[in-house]
Amino acid sequence: MLGVPLTFAAPLALAALVALPALWVLLRVTPPRPRRIAFPPLALVADLLPKRETPARTPPWLLALRILAAAFLILAVAGPVWNPGGIGAAAGREPLLLILDNGFVSAFDWRDRLRAATDEIEAAARDGRPVALVASADAPAPFEAKAPAAALERLRAIKPRPHLGDRGAHLTSIGTFLERMPGASLVWISDGVRGVGAADFATSLGELASRHGSAVTVLKAERSPALALEGSPMQPGEKLSAQVLRAQGNGRDAGLVRALDQKGLPLAESRFTFAPEARETSVSFDLPVELRNAIARLEIEGEHSAGAVVLMDERGKRRRVGLVFGGTLDQAQPLLAPTYYLAKALTPFADVQQPRGGQGTAESIGQMLDNQVSVLALADVGALDDRTLARVEKFVDEGGLLLRFAGPRLAAGNDPLVPVRLRRGGRSLGGTLSWDRPKTLAAFAPESPFAGLNPPTDIGVRRQILAEPDGDLPGRTWASLQDGTPIVTAEKRGQGLVVLFHVTADTTWSNLPLSGLFVDMLRRVVGLAGPSAKLGEGDGRQSKAALLAPRLTLDGFGALGSPPASATAVPADFADRAGPEHPPGFYGTAEGGIAVNALVPGDRLEPLDFTGLKGARTGSLAGAETLDLRALLFSLALTLLALDTLAGLWLGGFFRSFGRAGGRAAPAAWLLPVLLGLALVLAPPPARAQEPPANRPNGIESALATRLAFVVTGDAATDAASRAGLSGLSQMLAARTALEPGEPAGLNLEKDELAFYPLIYWPIVAGRPQPSEAAIRKIDAFMRNGGTVIFDTRDAQTARAGGPPTPETAYLRKMLATLEVPELEPVPPDHVLTKAFYLVDSFPGRLSTGQTWVETIPPAGEGGERRPARAGDGVTPIIITGNDLAAAWALGRNGEPLYPVSGDQRQREMAFRGGINIVIYTLTGNYKADQVHVPALLERLGQ
């Protein structure tokens, strides 16, 4: 407005300012109220004046005070807003096209992006402009401009996607929109990182805007603040390592990467540091193989983005390989024994173990099996005794990989632990009595696990064990010589695999162990160990048709949950980055699935080039915040009206007459209104009794006693009800259970430590300000680390199914927008929460019609035993209800209820039982689901 960042929601109200001059004239001719004085006759004569008097007029300063108060009221009614649109869209009546980047890169500062987008839409609403909204990481689709209220609803539904956005896919729909709406303003809230697809999106957008006469504004952070982790390699190396990435130097030069297991418990952590302006750095974890294989995910602490998470599957685990040589002690020498070559080839990617001490072959195999190896490699081991043979067969049937190498002993025996029937004696090539020359390897077949490797031409095989020809031999052959004779065969047995190299592991029969191909072949063979081997049932070859359905997927904030409806299955050999149809997560069964990540090896975060946007305005997400001036102007107007009232009383002689009536008390009469005003302004908050030590959060009492806690909302009535409710519930717990909790604690999320409390009650007050980002992250960490929060909207009486959300529900939705909230469901009848202490079927409070929501638990198994109580892997981190639980729990000093309930006293009793169940469930977890068979056990024991 006239170059000033100020606008009005109701500009027509400013027309009332025209009446201010008339108001000035009216106030001038209206004198103040006459003074009232006593009427003694002599005083009347004494007051006579010899001059002529004129009617009194209102003093100019009082006129100015009243005119100013009227002006403030008029301006307040007009709804002034300072900085209404920031640096965003230019003013006008044309439609607004808002492009919002919502890939995983935007998750870190998503709140700032939502605020900027909301400001733009609200500014368009004040100007009466329709709004079209495009989320760049969503699937492209035609769109049209709608009312700003509809755009705000659409904005609330947009969340960060767990993959990089393809902005180029939206160029066609953007061009179509601009053809229909020429001159529309474009605002692009960018994450500053180049995604997938068209690399010149900015240039193409600039050309479209120039062609249709549209002004472009880009809102972005000065430097992209996001960090990401490069996807784990397909095969592990010496140490578990990962690359930490950023698009450009952004001041976040150090941080922490954590390694977590499947339950989210930390196993290790490693710090990283970026060099100045460096865009990548590495972290590594040097862990024992048991801990390393238990890692399910790596994540950057505090990043809360799908790109900052790397999920680990069987392919990233380091296998334990046991080596056994069947030769004599004098042959088991360095540079001579086959195990020497195997150890050198396997050490870079496996944990190699060899028998200790001079033991026989059977004892060595037993020692390796006792060490729980994943791969048992036997080099020139002949026939085994029955006991050892049975142990090895059981090892293979249960999922182990048996890797065998030929030699004189294997060629002379008749061993059942081979994938194909063998001829005795073997075949010699290139010897003094042979006309054949050494053979080299043929190209690997596409279905072979070695597909993609190129055999060197200098590899020569001088001797091999031949396989008996039969119908199954071609299907069990992974590699062969140029003449077609097998050199590597395999067979799937039970859950495991038997692989045979038809040459020795040393250089006596070939020079294969001296080549890099030998290392690559062993890497792929070892990678097939465990449940992730994707093989056919009988031939040991790779299966082409295997598809793995999504089991758990990441959302844009990096939280694991149920897959969305748009997620589709991936091939078993899928190695690409995540996308809209294949979000990052775990695919397939828990035993043999694969992990898909947002980034794959080789990916980097590239900064976005905006030079193609000619003439575009650029603004910051951290710009000046929109300020509604109505409250300030109303307060000023009311203050001036109060001063006008005091001035009228003073001019009317009220204070003077009051002073004469009081005699010597006149000075006090003058000071009385001043003191009253100062008391109102400077009065301290209501005095409270010193809180006893047991009620103070974070004291030693919080660590020594189990205490319930509630969030202090700032509303005195609500906080009093919360304290009384938790105190009453604590009394009931002490009277009915073995738990004797301490006094409940009121928590300030900005200052207090939450780790002392297993359960936090949070009543929702719609009129209070939203908690800060630090408080949200604090409660998020509390829930991730095993705590439970009860969010009570207390609106069961006003909420309507299918209707608009209540103010409390809307407040809660906005607050939970950036929390890692799991998928929720109404408490099922067989949930362990309904049987933790009492048998209950509902959780009423002061109200009883509201639904209680908890984290979704796995469904009951089909065909299995029907259990009376089900539970998930842990305690639900969140409980949402609208029944006003604390009001039903609240008791007075004598045990009397403080608040009425909507039903009879039975409802209050059920409220206490439900509360006791919640506390016991929070403290003991899902143990009740495992204890349901105890009565049957006691009956069998005769007790």
Side-chain angles (χ1 to χ4, degrees), residues 681-882:
V681 175
L682 303 178
R688 297 180 180 178
Q690 180 67 27
E691 196 172 23
N695 289 345
R696 297 174 187 166
N698 306 329
I700 188 64
E701 297 82 5
S702 298
L704 298 180
T706 301
R707 304 170 63 193
L708 307 180
F710 66 94
V711 174
V712 176
T713 63
D715 183 82
T718 302
D719 295 340
S722 298
R723 182 179 295 279
L726 293 187
S727 179
L729 181 60
S730 298
Q731 294 177 34
M732 288 297 174
L733 285 166
R736 302 185 183 186
T737 72
L739 175 64
E740 296 183 2
E743 286 295 319
L747 299 180
N748 182 340
L749 295 181
E750 303 291 343
K751 301 178 181 179
D752 296 330
E753 176 58 53
L754 309 183
F756 297 113
Y757 311 100
L759 179 67
I760 296 177
Y761 178 77
W762 191 334
I764 302 301
V765 181
R768 302 300 301 171
Q770 285 280 340
S772 66
E773 180 68 19
I776 290 294
R777 298 277 70 82
K778 206 170 184 180
I779 203 72
D780 182 40
F782 172 77
M783 293 193 298
R784 286 166 58 91
N785 292 328
T788 298
V789 181
I790 301 177
F791 293 99
D792 195 343
T793 56
R794 305 175 301 153
D795 59 355
Q797 196 168 10
T798 58
R800 296 292 181 268
T806 63
E808 292 79 11
T809 300
Y811 180 96
L812 180 61
R813 288 180 181 177
K814 184 176 181 181
M815 182 174 66
L816 298 181
T818 57
L819 278 177
E820 296 187 13
V821 179
E823 183 179 0
L824 303 178
E825 66 175 351
V827 180
D830 57 348
H831 195 287
V832 68
L833 185 57
T834 63
K835 301 169 179 62
F837 193 82
Y838 288 105
L839 298 180
V840 299
D841 55 7
S842 63
F843 296 86
R846 181 178 62 86
L847 308 171
S848 61
T849 58
Q851 188 69 264
T852 301
W853 297 78
V854 296
E855 181 181 6
T856 301
I857 60 176
E862 297 181 1
E865 180 184 358
R866 181 65 178 175
R867 306 183 68 174
R870 286 188 300 126
D873 291 335
V875 175
T876 177
I878 182 172
I879 299 175
I880 299 179
T881 183

Side-chain angles (χ1 to χ4, degrees), residues 185-200:
S185 298
L186 271 70
V187 175
W188 178 15
I189 303 179
S190 174
D191 57 28
V193 176
R194 193 177 73 190
V196 297
D200 55 348

Side-chain angles (χ1 to χ4, degrees), residues 254-578:
L256 190 69
V257 175
R258 301 194 305 167
L260 310 176
D261 64 6
Q262 291 184 349
K263 295 182 178 180
L265 300 176
L267 297 178
E269 57 186 33
S270 178
R271 293 201 168 272
F272 64 86
T273 303
F274 283 99
E277 299 302 319
R279 293 172 46 199
E280 61 181 278
T281 186
S282 61
V283 293
S284 61
F285 298 87
D286 191 5
L287 299 172
V289 65
E290 294 84 2
L291 285 180
R292 171 171 174 159
N293 290 344
I295 295 176
R297 63 185 278 167
L298 304 177
E299 65 178 19
I300 302 176
E301 186 180 40
E303 189 66 18
H304 302 292
S305 161
V309 176
V310 171
L311 301 177
M312 310 290 291
D313 56 21
E314 291 291 332
R315 298 172 296 180
K317 293 183 178 179
R318 188 177 177 88
R319 270 65 173 190
R320 181 178 293 168
V321 181
L323 305 182
V324 177
F325 176 42
T328 59
L329 185 61
D330 58 337
Q331 294 175 325
Q333 299 294 326
L335 302 178
L336 297 177
T339 51
Y340 173 80
Y341 294 91
L342 288 174
K344 287 293 185 181
L346 292 168
T347 297
F349 53 87
D351 181 30
V352 179
Q353 296 191 1
Q354 299 188 50
R356 295 184 299 272
Q359 301 181 7
T361 302
E363 291 78 6
S364 299
I365 293 175
Q367 185 182 123
M368 293 297 98
L369 296 179
D370 291 339
N371 291 345
Q372 298 182 346
V373 295
S374 301
V375 180
L376 179 61
L378 305 182
D380 192 17
V381 174
L384 301 174
D385 60 85
D386 293 342
R387 182 174 178 275
T388 305
L389 179 63
R391 290 196 64 184
V392 176
E393 288 178 339
K394 181 181 178 183
F395 164 76
V396 175
D397 289 339
E398 293 178 350
L401 190 150
L402 178 61
L403 176 60
R404 305 201 64 176
F405 290 86
R409 294 166 184 80
L410 183 61
N414 186 11
D415 198 326
L417 291 176
V418 290
V420 295
R421 292 188 298 113
L422 303 177
R423 289 185 180 180
R424 283 179 171 270
R427 171 195 184 194
S428 296
L429 302 169
T432 55
L433 300 179
S434 173
W435 293 96
D436 295 328
R437 293 183 178 180
K439 303 293 185 181
T440 188
L441 298 180
F444 299 118
E447 64 272 13
S448 169
F450 305 139
L453 299 179
N454 296 318
T457 57
D458 58 350
I459 290 181
V461 176
R462 298 183 295 276
R463 185 176 178 182
Q464 68 178 128
I465 293 182
L466 291 177
E468 290 286 356
D470 58 26
D472 296 332
L473 182 59
R476 296 179 181 178
T477 301
W478 283 6
S480 59
L481 297 179
Q482 290 178 333
D483 60 2
T485 55
I487 198 67
V488 181
T489 55
E491 180 189 18
K492 188 170 179 60
R493 293 189 181 181
Q495 298 297 319
L497 188 66
V498 178
V499 181
L500 171 63
F501 278 70
H502 291 239
V503 294
T504 59
D506 58 14
T507 59
T508 55
W509 286 18
S510 72
N511 62 351
L512 177 63
L514 298 177
S515 67
L517 178 65
F518 187 63
V519 178
D520 294 334
M521 294 173 71
L522 290 179
R523 185 191 300 271
R524 295 200 178 184
V525 171
V526 172
L528 296 175
S532 64
K534 305 163 191 62
L535 303 168
E537 284 299 322
D539 54 16
R541 295 181 297 174
Q542 289 181 315
S543 173
K544 294 183 179 180
L547 290 177
L548 304 177
R551 178 168 54 90
L552 292 171
T553 57
L554 294 173
D555 62 13
F557 295 106
L560 271 176
S562 300
S566 59
T568 59
V570 299
D573 57 352
F574 186 82
D576 203 354
R577 69 173 66 89

Side-chain angles (χ1 to χ4, degrees), residues 2 28 50 74 115 120 173 243 349 375 396 399 476 560 577 585 648 721 755 865 918 921:
L2 301 178
R28 286 197 62 189
I74 294 173
R115 180 185 57 78
E120 295 300 328
S173 55
Q243 293 291 117
F349 53 87
V375 180
V396 175
R476 296 179 181 178
L560 271 176
R577 69 173 66 89
E865 180 184 358
I918 291 175
Y921 166 73

Side-chain angles (χ1 to χ4, degrees), residues 50-372:
K51 62 181 181 179
R52 183 179 179 180
E53 293 184 348
T54 58
R57 296 181 179 274
T58 303
W61 61 269
L62 185 58
L63 279 175
L65 184 70
R66 293 173 176 175
I67 293 297
L68 191 59
F72 282 157
L73 283 175
I74 294 173
L75 291 175
V77 171
V81 179
W82 182 262
N83 193 39
I87 193 67
R93 295 291 179 180
E94 298 81 9
L96 169 66
L97 174 56
L98 185 61
I99 303 174
L100 176 63
D101 284 348
N102 65 324
F104 69 76
V105 179
S106 64
F108 179 77
D109 52 358
W110 183 246
R111 280 177 172 256
D112 294 337
R113 300 179 184 280
L114 282 183
R115 180 185 57 78
T118 302
D119 290 347
E120 295 300 328
I121 296 175
E122 290 178 347
R126 289 189 290 269
D127 295 337
R129 309 167 65 183
V131 179
L133 183 59
V134 177
S136 64
D138 290 355
F143 56 87
E144 58 184 12
K146 298 182 179 180
L152 279 176
E153 288 297 323
R154 163 88 170 106
L155 177 64
R156 295 188 184 101
I158 296 177
K159 302 293 181 185
R161 298 296 181 183
H163 53 80
L164 289 172
D166 185 2
R167 303 184 185 93
H170 297 273
L171 286 173
T172 301
S173 55
I174 292 175
T176 303
F177 175 82
L178 293 180
E179 289 177 359
R180 297 197 313 266
M181 303 286 183
S185 298
L186 271 70
V187 175
W188 178 15
I189 303 179
S190 174
D191 57 28
V193 176
R194 193 177 73 190
V196 297
D200 55 348
F201 173 79
T203 302
S204 301
L205 183 65
E207 293 174 354
L208 286 174
S210 177
R211 188 183 311 154
H212 297 93
S214 299
V216 180
T217 301
V218 179
L219 301 180
K220 63 183 184 69
E222 182 178 357
R223 289 174 173 264
S224 176
L227 301 179
L229 278 178
E230 179 192 357
S232 61
M234 294 295 293
Q235 296 293 342
E238 192 70 43
K239 294 181 180 180
L240 178 61
S241 61
Q243 293 291 117
V244 185
L245 311 175
R246 60 181 180 180
Q248 53 194 155
N250 53 18
R252 303 181 64 194
D253 296 332
L256 190 69
V257 175
R258 301 194 305 167
L260 310 176
D261 64 6
Q262 291 184 349
K263 295 182 178 180
L265 300 176
L267 297 178
E269 57 186 33
S270 178
R271 293 201 168 272
F272 64 86
T273 303
F274 283 99
E277 299 302 319
R279 293 172 46 199
E280 61 181 278
T281 186
S282 61
V283 293
S284 61
F285 298 87
D286 191 5
L287 299 172
V289 65
E290 294 84 2
L291 285 180
R292 171 171 174 159
N293 290 344
I295 295 176
R297 63 185 278 167
L298 304 177
E299 65 178 19
I300 302 176
E301 186 180 40
E303 189 66 18
H304 302 292
S305 161
V309 176
V310 171
L311 301 177
M312 310 290 291
D313 56 21
E314 291 291 332
R315 298 172 296 180
K317 293 183 178 179
R318 188 177 177 88
R319 270 65 173 190
R320 181 178 293 168
V321 181
L323 305 182
V324 177
F325 176 42
T328 59
L329 185 61
D330 58 337
Q331 294 175 325
Q333 299 294 326
L335 302 178
L336 297 177
T339 51
Y340 173 80
Y341 294 91
L342 288 174
K344 287 293 185 181
L346 292 168
T347 297
F349 53 87
D351 181 30
V352 179
Q353 296 191 1
Q354 299 188 50
R356 295 184 299 272
Q359 301 181 7
T361 302
E363 291 78 6
S364 299
I365 293 175
Q367 185 182 123
M368 293 297 98
L369 296 179
D370 291 339
N371 291 345
Q372 298 182 346

Side-chain angles (χ1 to χ4, degrees), residues 924-937:
T924 61
N926 56 12
Y927 89 102
K928 204 71 172 184
D930 301 326
Q931 293 288 335
V932 294
H933 301 295
V934 168
L937 293 176

